[in-house]
Amino acid sequence: MAELRVRICLAGLVLCGAGLPAAGSDLGPIEPGLDYHSYANVDQFRTTHIGMELRVDLELKSITGTVDLELKRLDPRATQLVLDTKNLTILDVTQKATDVLGATAKSETIWVSRPFHLEKPDPILGSALVIDLPPNRKSTESVRIDYETQRTATALQWLSPKQTAGHTAFLYTVSEPIGARSWIPLQDTPQVRVTYKARVHTDPGVQAVMSADNDPKLQHRGEFTFVMPQAIPSYLIALAVGDLKFKATGPRTGVYAEKALINAAAKEFADTESMLAASEKLFGPYRWTRYDVLVMPPSFPIGGMENPRLSFITPTVIAGDKSLVSVIAHEMAHSWSGNLVTNATWRDLWLNEGFTDYLQSRIVTAVYGEPRASMEEVLGLQSLRADLAKLKPQDQTLAIDLRDRDPGLVFSDVPYEKGRLFLNYLAAKFGRERFDAFLHDYFDHFAFKSITTEQFNDYLMENLLGRFPGIVSREQVLAWENAPGIPADAVLPVSTILSQVDETRSKWLSGTLQPKKFGLDWTAQQWLYFLDNMPAALSAKQLESLDQAYDFTRSRNAEIEHSWFKLAIAANFQPSYARLEDYLKTIGRIKLIGPLYTDLMKTPSGAEIAKRVYAKALPGYHPDTVKAIGAIVTPAAEEGSE
Ligand SMILES: [Zn+2]
């Protein structure tokens, strides 16, 4: 995922404190590998394959599903299968007669009802679905569940026709971290990996795509079949339905988008094939056959989601100059770190995201050059420092204690940017050649496995620290993982280009350099750095001179607009406000709009605007966005709700 930051940083103190206990000092020691965010009894049963038959009703906003879970039975005496669900209506649970009665069953095709019940729901985890099963000596069996989703499904966003570019209704899923259980009853833990097959029924005029094989050449009329032959964790099961077009960007890569965006998207992401080639050279073969990108509606709450074979990407990275496509490098890098080698629990998320940020920089360096990668890393470090300033010390560690807390809390900059700094440190200490060879072997060794921080440490000890002794100690590694803040021996990124921007900014602030005398050949990263490091409040006159010269209010680059609006709000610069309102209403990406709402709420007149705009924008926002922005705009209403 490119970012979530739903609750920690944007909502600030409100959600950091309210309703959610802090990291549990009184909960005793953590048991590594135990998933505290799943009810599934994975030591007794493990799902190996999921077969799905899904009917998507865009008008009623519901999915009616039948799911067949193929189970490996680890405990022959077990008499209950426990699954994860959240806000699902369970209609029936059945088992093949041969699974219930053994050899005495007359037919393979007869399904027998099984007793089941839903446990009392937990606001974060949902309800355990408990199914009674007869003890069984067979090592495999299947369970079939008929169910319906509810309008409250946290992973589903239903868009009405007027909320999309093409005026056709749209559905998409965001399953990470524990949203899959709100649209499929299953063992919703990243340590269970499944292959899947799905048949999806839709209205005839739309197309369904999944995180599986999507053959761009096939024509469909309301029925789509998908196969995901590689075993993936549940949070990577993804579905989108809408009026989609496809355009190839290379033999193995392409873009799906609504018609209005398809050409711009294909142009913006034209380097996807080169990124894939660069990635394979660095990290070993790409094992997922195709790499396609699905451009989401503007309401998509995050930058991108690494659904295998089909990354979901926010349209806010389409800037017209490829300046923000490192999000594609990030999601593609997850094909190794995350999708191939996966965090076993959400505490271990840094194994997904820190590695991915490191890989992302390497891909950007290979395709766009080192100066750009360094600029992006410096911007990332700034963002990390801003997060660290708001986080409690225990939440500044790489492997954070999430017990009794919403696993969404883990998505601060810490697992991403601090994780990248840790890997940069190892690469600097051991030399890039040795570290790259280590990474290459690491991806091979743990391919299609879900691992804990402790398993990574053992592998690191044996294959890097132990092999080249005397360079980095185990204690130093543990300090990176378990101590707050940025370690004193971190190797911090530097960018000479951005240092020059500091000089330019100082000259402009002192009045010795006029707008248009600088910046005409600047990249987006230079502008972001220029704007993000301004003193607290500029005068309206200063903003006017910048806006006249560079037209930031109407920038095509959503990140630059974001940085500009922050300055505009601080200075109450009215000429930008009409466009600001439009921006807040049309974009759902929390990273971009959350800080603007937070800043607006600091003054009574700004709060009035924030509340009015939020009320209008709310029907078009994703549930995660509603939750995050709702907590900023109406903090009292959020308390006590889930
Ligand atoms: Zn990510």
Side-chain angles (χ1 to χ4, degrees):
M1 193 182 279
E3 77 268 322
L4 189 66
R5 296 170 227 200
V6 176
R7 289 144 209 139
I8 299 180
C9 302
L10 301 177
L13 295 173
V14 177
L15 279 173
C16 277
L20 296 165
S25 52
D26 54 348
L27 294 173
I30 287 185
E31 195 177 317
L34 182 65
D35 188 345
Y36 292 91
H37 298 102
S38 170
Y39 293 114
N41 51 340
V42 294
D43 48 348
Q44 295 183 307
F45 295 95
R46 288 227 165 203
T47 314
T48 54
H49 176 81
I50 299 181
M52 288 177 270
E53 182 96 27
L54 306 174
R55 281 178 196 281
V56 176
D57 192 321
L58 291 167
E59 212 167 299
L60 290 178
K61 302 186 174 177
S62 80
I63 297 176
T64 313
T66 298
V67 59
D68 289 346
L69 304 178
E70 287 179 20
L71 304 165
K72 195 171 158 190
R73 182 184 268 270
L74 306 177
D75 180 351
R77 293 159 306 169
T79 54
Q80 285 191 324
L81 169 70
V82 185
L83 301 174
D84 295 298
T85 75
K86 188 170 186 182
N87 302 341
L88 285 181
T89 306
I90 305 297
L91 304 170
D92 199 10
V93 178
T94 50
Q95 243 195 332
K96 275 183 191 164
T98 43
D99 284 336
V100 181
L101 303 169
T104 57
K106 289 197 178 90
S107 164
E108 263 270 323
T109 53
I110 294 174
W111 289 75
V112 184
S113 279
R114 298 305 311 165
F116 69 91
H117 69 274
L118 284 169
E119 296 278 344
K120 187 173 171 282
D122 173 90
I124 295 166
L125 303 180
S127 308
L129 170 60
V130 182
I131 301 166
D132 292 345
L133 297 180
N136 202 328
R137 287 188 183 284
K138 283 169 64 179
S139 59
T140 58
E141 61 200 288
S142 342
V143 167
R144 172 171 290 181
I145 303 158
D146 295 300
Y147 69 98
E148 263 172 25
T149 62
Q150 295 177 12
R151 289 291 282 273
T152 46
T154 47
L156 303 180
Q157 188 179 16
W158 303 91
L159 293 171
S160 66
K162 67 174 196 265
Q163 291 169 330
T164 65
H167 302 290
T168 305
F170 203 103
L171 161 70
Y172 66 85
T173 64
V174 182
S175 295
E176 191 182 21
I178 56 168
R181 66 188 69 176
S182 77
W183 67 287
I184 311 167
L186 77 182
Q187 294 183 313
D188 196 12
T189 168
Q191 54 199 261
V192 171
R193 307 182 75 97
V194 294
T195 54
Y196 77 79
K197 273 188 189 170
R199 188 154 56 205
V200 179
H201 304 269
T202 68
D203 301 340
V206 290
Q207 182 171 2
V209 288
M210 288 192 83
S211 54
D213 69 323
N214 287 289
D215 186 344
K217 290 188 228 74
L218 280 186
Q219 293 289 321
H220 309 270
R221 277 194 68 78
E223 189 178 303
F224 303 84
T225 51
F226 303 96
V227 180
M228 173 39 99
Q230 288 116 329
I232 56 167
S234 54
Y235 74 88
L236 293 177
I237 303 178
L239 167 71
V241 177
D243 185 10
L244 300 172
K245 303 285 175 245
F246 175 82
K247 207 160 183 177
T249 50
R252 286 187 294 172
T253 59
V255 182
Y256 290 88
E258 289 190 278
K259 194 177 168 192
L261 275 176
I262 188 72
N263 288 329
K267 218 170 139 207
E268 196 80 15
F269 305 144
D271 296 333
T272 308
E273 195 80 28
S274 329
M275 286 186 185
L276 194 56
S279 307
E280 286 189 302
K281 217 170 150 189
L282 288 163
F283 317 121
Y286 179 74
R287 304 178 201 225
W288 307 89
T289 315
R290 286 194 62 84
Y291 180 83
D292 294 318
V293 164
L294 170 65
V295 178
M296 305 303 289
S299 70
F300 193 52
I302 50 177
M305 179 61 213
E306 64 268 24
N307 299 315
R309 298 181 180 220
L310 185 69
S311 291
F312 288 15
I313 302 287
T314 168
T316 60
V317 299
I318 301 176
D321 59 1
K322 300 181 183 172
S323 58
L324 304 177
V325 296
S326 56
V327 169
I328 304 284
H330 180 96
E331 306 312 336
M332 181 186 284
H334 272 304
S335 308
W336 286 265
S337 45
N339 300 4
L340 188 63
V341 183
T342 308
N343 50 220
T345 73
W346 298 109
R347 164 183 177 257
D348 309 301
L349 180 79
W350 74 276
L351 295 176
N352 279 16
E353 298 298 352
F355 278 66
T356 295
D357 263 12
Y358 175 82
L359 267 55
Q360 172 195 327
S361 282
R362 303 298 308 279
I363 298 169
V364 169
T365 301
V367 179
Y368 299 105
E370 193 275 330
R372 173 151 162 192
S374 297
M375 286 193 281
E376 291 180 354
E377 286 194 37
V378 170
L379 291 168
L381 177 62
Q382 283 193 171
S383 179
L384 171 63
R385 285 189 166 133
D387 260 15
L388 289 175
K390 294 177 202 153
L391 290 168
K392 293 174 183 149
Q394 63 266 36
D395 289 339
Q396 298 179 14
T397 62
L398 284 179
I400 86 166
D401 186 353
L402 292 163
R403 285 177 294 174
D404 282 356
R405 301 200 291 169
D406 186 332
L409 283 166
V410 72
F411 290 89
S412 74
D413 267 323
V414 171
Y416 292 79
E417 297 293 343
K418 188 173 170 182
R420 166 155 62 190
L421 286 178
F422 177 39
L423 296 203
N424 276 346
Y425 165 82
L426 292 174
K429 289 282 178 190
F430 289 93
R432 196 161 255 185
E433 209 172 299
R434 283 175 184 166
F435 189 63
D436 277 359
F438 164 81
L439 271 187
H440 195 286
D441 292 349
Y442 164 79
F443 292 131
D444 266 352
H445 184 80
F446 290 114
F448 299 106
K449 292 198 169 71
S450 303
I451 67 166
T452 61
T453 300
E454 287 68 23
Q455 281 171 287
F456 166 74
N457 287 349
D458 290 347
Y459 186 83
L460 181 74
M461 273 306 295
E462 195 176 326
N463 295 284
L464 198 65
L465 272 57
R467 187 174 289 179
F468 307 104
I471 301 176
V472 172
S473 69
R474 190 181 178 94
E475 289 65 41
Q476 282 169 302
V477 167
L478 295 178
W480 266 95
E481 289 169 2
N482 302 321
I486 299 172
D489 57 351
V491 183
L492 300 180
V494 276
S495 161
T496 44
I497 298 176
L498 293 186
S499 304
Q500 287 157 12
V501 172
D502 281 328
E503 283 171 35
T504 304
R505 188 189 315 100
S506 299
K507 285 185 191 162
W508 175 72
L509 285 167
S510 67
T512 55
L513 188 64
Q514 296 308 307
K516 284 229 165 160
K517 298 278 181 201
F518 64 89
L520 298 176
D521 57 348
W522 278 8
T523 61
Q525 285 71 31
Q526 284 164 287
W527 282 119
L528 290 172
Y529 187 76
F530 178 77
L531 297 171
D532 289 348
N533 291 288
M534 286 292 182
L538 295 177
S539 69
K541 209 172 159 208
Q542 283 172 306
L543 288 185
E544 195 181 351
S545 79
L546 282 180
D547 207 22
Q548 271 177 3
Y550 305 109
D551 203 10
F552 288 125
T553 300
R554 272 171 293 278
S555 166
R556 277 187 69 189
N557 186 305
E559 298 254 7
I560 291 176
E561 276 188 293
H562 163 88
S563 296
W564 174 254
F565 289 141
K566 279 189 72 76
L567 295 174
I569 294 166
N572 194 22
F573 182 62
Q574 288 298 320
S576 290
Y577 271 54
R579 174 65 198 132
L580 166 65
E581 286 196 20
D582 202 34
Y583 184 94
L584 294 173
K585 278 184 218 157
T586 50
I587 293 176
R589 189 178 173 190
I590 299 163
K591 179 190 129 173
L592 294 180
I593 61 171
L596 301 178
Y597 274 108
T598 302
D599 289 355
L600 280 170
M601 289 301 290
K602 287 175 185 164
T603 63
S605 61
E608 213 172 283
I609 294 170
K611 286 180 183 182
R612 176 169 49 75
V613 171
Y614 175 65
K616 268 200 182 155
L618 189 133
Y621 283 160
H622 182 274
D624 280 348
T625 311
V626 171
K627 193 167 179 173
I629 307 301
I632 296 166
V633 175
T634 50
E638 181 66 17
E639 268 178 60
S641 69
E642 68 178 61

